[in-house]
Amino acid sequence: MTTDPTPTTTTTTTTTTTTTTPTDATRTPPSSERAPLTRDRILETAVSIADEHGVSALSMRKLAKQLGYEVMSLYNHVENKDDLLDGMVDLVAAEIEEPPADLGWQPAARSIAVSAHDTLVRHRWAAALWSSRWPGPARWRHMEVLLELLAGAGFPDDVADLAFHAITMHIQGFTQQQINYAQQAIDEAEMFDRFHREVSEDEFPGVHAHVRYHLERDAPHDEFAFVLDLILDGLERARPA
């Protein structure tokens, strides 16, 4: 008896493997492509992130990714987040220019204050941290130059102390308020409309005149310099002849 063979069907399964190639934006550069990690480079990058996104957006993870390193690598150069912030503020302070040696005490103090104000306006996050962070060499130098200037002008110790704090508090306090106003997302038309609805001109005529002046004036004043000159002129009158 002859038996017909049963046909055999063979199924072949093909597996496709998809390989995802990291883009330049997501891949971690190999060590040969990365710039060496140093404290200065970490601080400069951290300041750049804070300038662009605000200091609240800064994290050690984000900083490490920006530098192309793992987070733990940062701790070979900065102790912790506090040390990082201290260093960032001091790096900003290093931008404050010292006055020329041949200036009198008033124009020299004015030059220091204006440079400090301009520096803090460039780095809007730094003013809020200025008093809470431990100073580094640049900030100690900034203080030393101003104190030497006041001592050299002949101020008694008590007046020199008051003068130092008057100048430095004006720099920090005025600048912080200026930055706060600039960062408020307020629709001016809506704000003035609310003001006119809620604030009676009969009850507050001086306030209305003040607001009207701000609306109608041709150009803003340099309010920082105006108050600074009042402080310096007052100190000059308190200086022994």
Side-chain angles (χ1 to χ4, degrees):
M1 180 178 62
T2 304
T3 306
D4 292 335
T6 304
T8 303
T9 303
T10 304
T11 304
T12 304
T13 303
T14 303
T15 303
T16 303
T17 303
T18 303
T19 303
T20 303
T21 303
T23 64
D24 290 340
T26 59
R27 73 186 179 92
T28 300
S31 354
S32 58
E33 295 181 19
R34 294 182 296 185
L37 197 59
T38 64
R39 180 177 175 87
D40 286 346
R41 184 164 171 248
I42 290 170
L43 295 177
E44 288 166 2
T45 304
V47 166
S48 177
I49 292 172
D51 285 347
E52 185 174 357
H53 303 289
V55 74
S56 61
L58 177 66
S59 68
M60 300 300 276
R61 185 176 300 279
K62 180 179 290 187
L63 178 58
K65 183 177 181 181
Q66 182 78 15
L67 290 162
Y69 283 82
E70 298 298 325
V71 174
M72 292 308 295
S73 300
L74 303 183
Y75 293 107
N76 293 320
H77 306 276
V78 293
E79 292 180 12
N80 47 40
K81 183 73 174 287
D82 281 336
D83 184 34
L84 177 70
L85 293 173
D86 290 346
M88 290 168 62
V89 173
D90 204 59
L91 189 63
V92 168
E95 297 181 20
I96 300 173
E97 297 177 1
E98 295 188 17
D102 58 348
L103 285 183
W105 87 266
Q106 263 187 281
R110 193 181 197 278
S111 173
I112 292 170
V114 169
S115 178
H117 171 257
D118 291 346
T119 297
L120 292 176
V121 168
R122 284 196 302 274
H123 305 282
R124 292 175 173 259
W125 53 271
L129 297 179
W130 196 260
S131 295
S132 62
R133 307 317 312 178
W134 183 255
R139 284 184 64 197
W140 291 127
R141 177 61 187 168
H142 168 61
M143 289 185 270
E144 182 69 17
V145 170
L146 182 54
L147 288 167
E148 285 182 353
L149 185 65
L150 296 170
F155 287 103
D157 290 346
D158 58 339
V159 180
D161 178 70
L162 292 170
F164 175 79
H165 290 293
I167 294 169
T168 55
M169 290 174 71
H170 174 58
I171 295 168
Q172 184 190 349
F174 184 97
T175 307
Q176 184 60 58
Q177 179 172 292
Q178 179 183 356
I179 290 169
N180 288 346
Y181 282 146
Q183 289 178 336
Q184 290 177 358
I186 295 177
D187 184 301
E188 287 195 358
E190 181 181 335
M191 178 182 67
F192 287 123
D193 182 60
R194 178 178 179 180
F195 172 78
H196 287 293
R197 287 197 319 269
E198 298 182 6
V199 183
S200 166
E201 186 168 7
D202 292 337
E203 189 175 0
F204 304 106
V207 176
H208 268 262
H210 178 74
V211 170
R212 189 159 47 247
Y213 168 77
H214 277 277
L215 287 170
E216 296 173 355
R217 66 179 177 174
D218 294 330
H221 301 300
D222 188 344
E223 295 170 333
F224 178 84
F226 177 77
V227 178
L228 176 62
D229 288 338
L230 289 178
I231 293 171
L232 299 178
D233 289 344
L235 290 172
E236 174 62 20
R237 289 195 295 274
R239 190 166 68 97

